Amino acid sequence: MAEGLIQPVILCGGSGTRLWPRSRKDHPKPFLPLVGERTLFEATLDRCADPQHFASPIVVAGEAHVHHILAQSGDDTTLIVEPAAKNTAPAIALAAAHLPPDTVMLVCPSDHHIADDAAFIAAAQSAVRLARQDWMVAFGITPDSPETGYGYILRGEAIDGGHRIARFVEKPDRARAEEFLADGGYSWNGGIFAFRAGAFLSELATYRPEMAEAVQRSVVDASREGPILRPAASPFADIVAESVDYAVMENTENAAVVPADMGWSDIGSWKALRDVRPHDANGNAVIGAGELIDCCNVMVETDAPRVSVIGLQDVIVVVDGDEVMVTTAAGSQKVGTLKGAVNQ
């Protein structure tokens, strides 16, 4: 890797239940063209493809997703196959242990939508500048509504292109979310991070020494076949699953946040997907054979049968194969609890 380039680390995971039935366990949402013609995973790679700024990507994923990743990524992609799903802290550590210590990692989920690529690059450059000073940097998404499904970050004193993180806040109830929005000092925690590989491993060793040691042993005993690296399963099996937020970001004294107003969505529900798709003047979006009359904020997605809707608002209808799912927009957070989603 050329010196000074940013190292994209793309995290692929999840079981695909929140966008069931379109997203399935064997073909989850990162690998579907949900917004435009490119899949969310391909769009993530595209954002980090400029060779003037970025090194060739590293993707961290489970065995179940290997064939999707190989089919949708370029020949220059390195794929680290997690021996087991252990959440984001060990996944990031696997990539960090594979890199020279001074490499600045830009960690991105594979299944988020970002409308403004230029704003993403600008935020990444600010984050990298701080990461080179050994800040552990989170992207703080500019909130535009009182969302209760995201964690929040309270910005502290200004530093070079960003802010110290005063504190992380768990997903709030509606009243607190409205307070955060009115306050103006809070950002959504978008799950995108930047840090030096060596600094991240040092912080992990400080706050989660057993995890750090197990990851190192797993990488030392890894096997490699072409672009695919398979860390050893035995050391990895004993790791207690934990997110990077809990393991490192909420513990480190060097936590920073850079503001990012870039049209971000985690596409965490059918409502979230509806909100980022092109729609007509009444807020309606149709993919496939759909007909809407006197409807408002209705989304229809069907892969074959015609779906006709009259006189409804804030409803989502999805037809995929032999499955039909109908929900209000407000109820879409519960899709993952349906028997069809759970019992795949």
Side-chain angles (χ1 to χ4, degrees):
M1 184 181 76
E3 186 176 351
L5 290 179
I6 305 166
Q7 176 62 66
V9 174
I10 314 302
L11 304 182
C12 291
S15 56
T17 58
R18 292 188 294 175
L19 293 182
W20 181 87
R22 182 74 175 91
S23 174
R24 310 278 185 126
K25 187 175 182 180
D26 60 350
H27 203 164
K29 84 172 175 175
F31 309 109
L32 298 171
L34 297 175
V35 186
E37 296 181 0
R38 302 282 279 173
T39 69
L40 295 175
F41 173 63
E42 288 171 330
T44 303
L45 292 176
D46 291 346
R47 281 191 291 274
C48 302
D50 185 345
Q52 291 187 337
H53 299 294
F54 297 101
S56 298
I58 293 173
V59 178
V60 185
E63 189 70 48
H65 297 158
V66 167
H67 64 292
H68 293 304
I69 292 163
L70 295 179
Q72 296 187 13
S73 61
D75 294 337
D76 60 344
T77 299
T78 297
L79 173 55
I80 300 177
V81 182
E82 296 173 280
K86 296 291 186 177
N87 213 319
T88 54
I92 294 168
L94 286 175
H98 178 69
L99 292 166
D102 285 338
T103 303
V104 175
M105 308 164 61
L106 179 64
V107 178
C108 302
S110 62
D111 58 355
H112 291 183
H113 170 68
I114 293 173
D116 189 340
D117 286 354
F120 167 78
I121 296 297
Q125 290 172 331
S126 295
V128 167
R129 186 165 60 249
L130 288 169
R132 290 193 173 119
Q133 302 170 44
D134 281 353
W135 291 97
M136 316 298 288
V137 189
F139 278 45
I141 309 301
T142 303
D144 57 11
S145 60
E147 289 289 338
T148 59
Y150 304 142
Y152 284 70
I153 294 170
L154 176 60
R155 299 187 298 276
E157 68 176 278
I159 50 178
D160 184 13
H163 296 262
R164 285 182 178 270
I165 292 178
R167 64 187 173 99
F168 289 86
V169 185
E170 293 298 313
K171 297 175 183 178
D173 59 23
R174 178 78 182 192
R176 291 194 76 204
E178 290 176 348
E179 290 175 7
F180 294 164
L181 186 64
D183 180 277
Y186 290 84
S187 303
W188 293 333
N189 183 357
I192 304 172
F193 303 95
F195 20 70
R196 271 197 323 106
F200 177 78
L201 291 175
S202 176
E203 295 289 278
L204 190 68
T206 298
Y207 298 109
R208 297 294 186 269
E210 293 180 355
M211 182 187 295
E213 182 182 355
V215 166
Q216 291 286 2
R217 286 190 286 117
S218 188
V219 169
V220 166
D221 293 334
S223 62
R224 181 149 200 164
E225 182 179 348
I228 301 177
L229 185 75
R230 284 187 166 85
S234 180
F236 206 78
D238 294 332
I239 290 174
V240 176
E242 195 168 22
S243 72
V244 65
D245 299 270
Y246 287 135
V248 173
M249 295 301 295
E250 294 188 15
N251 292 307
T252 179
E253 297 180 359
N254 299 313
V257 59
V258 294
D261 189 0
M262 55 190 186
W264 171 91
S265 172
D266 71 344
I267 316 292
S269 68
W270 280 107
K271 177 184 179 298
L273 180 55
R274 181 203 66 179
D275 291 346
V276 301
R277 278 185 171 168
H279 48 76
D280 66 17
N282 293 315
N284 299 317
V286 176
I287 292 182
E291 181 181 7
L292 307 183
I293 296 175
D294 296 336
C295 290
C296 179
N297 296 327
V298 169
M299 184 172 79
V300 168
E301 177 168 335
T302 175
D303 63 352
R306 174 176 294 277
V307 175
S308 304
V309 184
I310 302 173
L312 295 182
Q313 61 181 8
D314 287 312
V315 167
I316 295 164
V317 182
V318 182
V319 182
D320 189 274
D322 59 354
E323 298 283 2
V324 179
M325 191 282 301
V326 182
T327 179
T328 61
S332 64
Q333 291 282 359
K334 298 180 179 179
V335 167
T337 66
L338 291 169
K339 291 180 180 178
V342 173
N343 299 323
Q344 296 185 63

